[in-house]
């Protein structure tokens, strides 16, 4: 029978009289090629190359990114005082009536142990029993500022200052700061009003930060994961194409690259770093890719869906450029250990490595404007043709 002819099953029309458009379309998410997971199917033909230079560069850069003992002590001192004041307001608020506090949790890079040098900022989430009005946040800020200053004067230290913002308020000392992020109980979320309370997205993100910290403490406590997180955050901060990646995406990527392998063993830092760049370059955060499942959200949620389409495209293109530079021995420039001549950004400029030209990729995603309604124009054109 001729393919597509009028046979018994009517294959040209969907078979058995069913139109093909009635069949549901299933979205198939595919993972990128991962050499670590596919290694049993692709055994090596020769020994792995010596990667000592990359390993030493990674460890050297990580040592530069780690905060000094003085920075850690300054943040710890301020966090301890703030935690004491807020815990007292939870247990015994006394005459403080601006709001009622339910719980206080440390979150963010300080809690996870991934704080960067020069960024002496810690995060604390305050869960309110009452609704988080802007007046309540300001009242809590003033009360915390007053109580912390009492503790500072008792130790003979300088005063702190407090400033409110859209997420809560920040307490700043001489060499450290703590962001107090305000949220509320889950059953209060539907009662929020944009004109009176903090934004719904902000409140929800603070609740998510608590879940992220809890998951990290249980699953990503290995030191190699924290080393890779610092390196990836530093690389993302220096290259504009990777800048949209959120800290949570970087945390999940680092955990995946270190721990997810057939042997279930911790991978060396040089292998994990190459793997992270390879996965990003292979489209891990592109549309249609399985990506990384978000363990703190509902089923089938993917972490990279928070990025818009241009950001996903730019991140993949930047990772491909950086991966080619690393393959040609330019890892010191990618890690920031050495600046490129002329101050060029190697992810956006054409560079040459041992006679090999590495040029940035052009964007693959282009926003197309919505088509305009041309019915009237066609009718006008037809009338003009008849008249002519």
């Amino acid at each position: 029978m001729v393919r597509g002819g009028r046979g018994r099953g009517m294959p040209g029309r969907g078979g058995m009289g069913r139109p093909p458009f009635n069949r549901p379309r299933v979205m198939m998410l595919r993972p990128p090629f991962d050499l670590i997971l596919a290694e049993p199917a692709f055994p090596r033909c020769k020994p792995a190359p010596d990667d000592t230079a990359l390993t030493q560069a990674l460890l050297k850069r990580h040592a530069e990114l780690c905060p000094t003992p003085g920075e850690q002590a300054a943040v710890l001192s301020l966090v301890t005082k703030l935690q004491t004041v807020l815990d007292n307001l939870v247990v015994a608020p006394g005459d403080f009536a601006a709001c009622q506090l339910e719980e206080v949790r440390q979150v963010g890079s300080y809690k996870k142990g991934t704080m960067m040098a020069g960024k002496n900022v810690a995060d604390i989430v305050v869960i309110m029993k009452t609704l988080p009005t802007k007046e309540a946040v300001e009242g809590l800020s003033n009360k915390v500022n007053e109580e912390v200053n009492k503790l500072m004067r008792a130790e003979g230290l300088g005063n702190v200052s407090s400033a409110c913002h859209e997420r809560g308020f920040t307490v700043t000392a001489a060499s450290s700061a703590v962001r107090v992020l305000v949220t509320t109980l889950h059953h209060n979320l539907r009662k929020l009003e944009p004109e009176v309370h903090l934004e719904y997205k902000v409140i929800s993100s603070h609740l998510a930060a608590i879940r992220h910290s809890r998951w990290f403490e249980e699953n990503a406590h290995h030191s190699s994961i924290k080393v890779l997180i610092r390196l990836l955050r530093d690389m993302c901060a220096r290259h504009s194409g990777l800048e949209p990646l959120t800290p949570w995406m970087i945390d999940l990527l680092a955990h995946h690259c270190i721990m997810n392998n057939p042997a279930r063993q911790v991978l060396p830092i040089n292998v994990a770093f190459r793997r992270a760049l390879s996965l990003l370059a292979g489209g891990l955060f592109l549309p249609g890719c399985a990506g990384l499942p978000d363990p703190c959200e509902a089923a089938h949620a993917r972490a990279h869906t928070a990025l818009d389409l241009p950001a996903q495209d730019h991140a993949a293109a930047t990772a491909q450029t950086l991966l080619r530079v690393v393959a040609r021995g330019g890892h010191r420039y990618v890690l920031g250990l050495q600046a490129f001549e002329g101050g060029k950004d190697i992810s956006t400029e054409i560079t040459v490595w041992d006679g090999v030209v590495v040029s940035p990729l052009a964007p693959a995603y282009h926003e197309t404007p919505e088509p305009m309604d041309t019915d009237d124009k066609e009718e006008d054109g037809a009338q003009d043709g008849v008249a002519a």
Side-chain angles (χ1 to χ4, degrees):
M1 188 195 324
V2 178
R3 185 180 179 188
R6 294 177 175 272
R8 182 177 177 184
M10 297 180 65
R13 296 181 177 270
M16 300 302 293
R18 295 185 197 169
F21 49 79
N22 281 349
R23 299 173 183 171
R25 298 182 62 182
V26 180
M27 181 65 176
M28 296 294 294
L29 298 177
R30 295 176 174 84
F33 178 76
D34 189 350
L35 185 58
I36 300 299
L37 295 180
E39 190 171 5
F42 296 91
R44 285 189 172 274
C45 299
K46 58 181 180 179
D50 185 14
D51 224 6
T52 305
L54 176 60
T55 303
Q56 292 177 351
L58 290 169
L59 296 178
K60 180 180 178 181
R61 183 56 179 169
H62 178 259
E64 297 175 358
L65 296 174
C66 287
T68 63
E71 291 176 329
Q72 294 180 356
V75 176
L76 175 62
S77 175
L78 186 57
V79 168
T80 303
K81 292 178 177 59
L82 263 172
Q83 186 82 39
T84 301
V85 170
L86 291 171
D87 287 341
N88 290 338
L89 291 177
V90 172
V91 178
D95 57 351
F96 177 69
C99 61
Q100 297 180 10
L101 305 186
E102 170 70 17
E103 193 177 356
V104 179
R105 289 288 190 93
Q106 295 181 22
V107 298
S109 58
Y110 173 78
K111 173 65 174 177
K112 297 174 183 176
T114 57
M115 195 172 68
M116 307 277 286
K119 298 181 180 179
N120 305 335
V121 181
D123 297 302
I124 292 179
V125 172
V126 173
I127 305 176
M128 289 185 176
K129 291 181 181 179
T130 53
L131 294 177
T133 62
K134 298 174 182 178
E135 292 77 11
V137 173
E138 185 176 358
L140 179 61
S141 172
N142 294 335
K143 180 65 174 179
V144 168
N145 186 49
E146 177 186 350
E147 296 298 326
V148 171
N149 276 322
K150 290 180 181 178
L151 296 177
M152 298 289 283
R153 286 193 292 269
E155 297 182 7
L157 302 175
N159 291 337
V160 301
S161 60
S162 178
C164 295
H165 47 78
E166 67 276 3
R167 291 184 170 273
F169 58 93
T170 300
V171 178
T172 306
S175 58
S176 60
V178 176
R179 286 189 297 236
V180 180
L181 311 175
V182 177
T183 185
T184 187
L185 299 173
H186 280 279
H187 61 78
N188 287 336
L189 293 179
R190 62 178 182 272
K191 304 176 184 177
L192 297 177
E193 299 178 7
E195 298 80 9
V196 181
H197 308 108
L198 299 184
E199 293 185 10
Y200 177 87
K201 282 187 176 181
V202 172
I203 296 295
S204 301
S205 67
H206 296 166
L207 291 174
I210 296 177
R211 298 194 296 270
H212 296 168
S213 294
R214 186 184 299 117
W215 179 89
F216 193 93
E217 187 176 5
E218 295 173 356
N219 300 278
H221 50 78
H222 198 278
S223 59
S224 295
I225 299 176
K226 299 177 182 179
V227 171
L228 185 57
I229 286 174
R230 284 195 178 99
L231 294 170
L232 292 178
R233 285 186 181 177
D234 173 67
M235 185 177 65
C236 292
R238 287 183 293 101
H239 301 289
S240 58
L242 300 177
E243 197 173 0
L245 269 62
T246 64
W248 180 232
M249 295 178 194
I250 296 174
D251 292 349
L252 293 178
L253 178 61
H255 176 267
H256 176 83
C257 293
I258 292 285
M259 303 301 298
N260 189 9
N261 57 83
R264 297 297 178 185
Q265 299 294 324
V266 177
L267 292 181
I269 187 62
N270 60 312
V271 176
F273 180 77
R274 288 184 184 273
R275 186 185 187 189
L277 272 181
S278 299
L279 289 177
L280 289 175
L284 181 68
F285 288 165
L286 285 180
C289 184
L292 296 176
D294 193 332
C296 299
E297 299 298 333
H300 309 299
R302 293 295 182 265
H304 70 278
T305 54
L307 300 175
D308 56 17
L309 295 179
Q312 295 178 19
D313 178 30
H314 201 185
T318 302
Q320 290 175 14
T321 303
L322 296 179
L323 183 61
R324 286 184 288 164
V325 172
V326 171
R328 301 306 306 174
H331 53 267
R332 293 182 62 85
Y333 300 94
V334 174
L335 294 174
L337 289 171
Q338 189 173 345
F340 200 75
E341 56 184 9
K344 290 183 179 180
D345 183 358
I346 58 176
S347 65
T348 59
E349 300 283 346
I350 298 177
T351 55
V352 181
W353 308 89
D354 294 333
V356 177
V357 179
V358 176
S359 57
L361 299 178
Y365 174 79
H366 301 278
E367 294 187 7
T368 55
E370 295 182 1
M372 299 179 62
D373 189 4
T374 57
D375 292 343
D376 296 339
K377 294 182 179 180
E378 292 176 357
E379 292 179 0
D380 293 343
Q383 292 177 358
D384 292 342
V386 171

